[in-house]
Amino acid sequence: APTDATVLIRGASGTGKELVARALHYNSPRRNRPLVTVNCAALQETLLESELFGHEKGAFTGATEKHAGKFVEASGGTLFLDEIGELPLDAQVKLLRALQEGEVDPVGGKRSVRVDIRLVSATNRSLLDLVKQGKFREDLYYRLSVIRIHVPPLRQRREEIPHLATFFLRDASDRLGKP
C-alpha cells in the first residue's frame, strides 16, 4: 500500500477484489486524494476512450461539453480499473502510453494532459492466457502486474467467515437501528 507500484488483483467474481483495491488506496499516502473506480466491462467500446482519457467539446457527435476523463479525475489519487481483461486492444495501447508517459490525450484534444495516478487493476481472467491468445498486450501485462495479488474464493478462506458474519451483522444492526 505505501508504494506507487501498479497492482494487479486476480480472483473469481465476488471474492473481494475491489475491497483489496480500496484497502490499498486507503492505506497509501494517496488516501486523502480520489479513488476512482471504472468497470472496463461495463463501458461501451465506443465510449471507453472518452471515459478514461476525456474529450473536448465537439470531438464527436454528442460531445456537447468538455469531459475530463477518469485519469484526470483520479490525478493525485488511485485509479482502479476493474475487469481489465475486457479492455479492447486499441484502448490497451493508450493505457500503456498513459502509464509510461504519465499523460493522457483527450479525444479531440490538441495537447496531452499530465496525470499523477497510482493504477490498481483487477481481473477474474488469466491475463497471461489472453496474452497467448493475442487478446492482451504482453507489455501492458508486465506494466500492470508489478505487484500481483491473488484473492482466493471464500471456500478456501473459511476462517474469515465468522469475521465477515460479524461485520455484516453489525452493519445491518447500525442501518436498521436494531440490536
Side-chain angles (χ1 to χ4, degrees):
T3 73
D4 271 344
T6 57
V7 178
L8 177 62
I9 305 166
R10 197 164 158 238
S13 293
T15 55
K17 295 182 295 291
E18 186 170 346
L19 291 175
V20 172
R22 288 182 181 284
L24 288 169
H25 173 74
Y26 290 118
N27 288 286
S28 79
R30 295 174 179 265
R31 70 181 140 272
N32 295 321
R33 303 292 300 160
L35 168 63
V36 177
T37 300
V38 177
N39 183 326
C40 297
L43 293 174
Q44 293 177 0
E45 192 171 334
T46 54
L47 298 176
L48 187 67
E49 186 178 346
S50 170
E51 279 299 307
L52 289 178
F53 310 118
H55 65 258
E56 295 295 324
K57 180 179 177 179
F60 52 85
T61 304
T64 56
E65 56 188 50
K66 182 178 179 170
H67 173 67
K70 300 299 184 184
F71 268 83
V72 172
E73 286 178 32
S75 198
T78 304
L79 179 61
F80 174 54
L81 297 180
D82 198 8
E83 310 248 6
I84 191 79
E86 304 302 320
L87 210 57
L89 283 169
D90 57 337
Q92 292 176 33
V93 173
K94 292 173 180 161
L95 174 58
L96 181 62
R97 183 183 180 285
L99 291 173
Q100 288 174 335
E101 305 300 325
E103 58 187 32
V104 295
D105 294 317
V107 177
K110 292 184 172 54
R111 61 174 63 123
S112 299
V113 177
R114 299 274 320 144
V115 291
D116 170 28
I117 58 126
R118 179 191 195 176
L119 184 70
V120 176
S121 54
T123 183
N124 61 5
R125 303 175 72 186
S126 167
L127 293 186
L128 278 177
D129 286 347
L130 293 176
V131 167
K132 291 174 189 169
Q133 296 168 21
K135 296 179 180 176
F136 203 86
R137 293 182 57 97
E138 185 175 19
D139 49 358
L140 179 58
Y141 168 76
Y142 287 110
R143 179 66 74 161
L144 294 175
S145 63
V146 173
I147 296 174
R148 290 183 292 265
I149 298 174
H150 175 71
V151 183
L154 190 57
R155 67 181 169 274
Q156 294 176 5
R157 314 178 272 149
R158 292 189 186 276
E159 68 280 0
E160 293 182 24
I161 293 173
H163 301 291
L164 290 168
T166 300
F167 170 81
F168 289 122
L169 276 169
R170 282 191 182 135
D171 181 59
S173 173
D174 291 346
R175 278 187 291 110
L176 300 172
K178 302 278 183 182

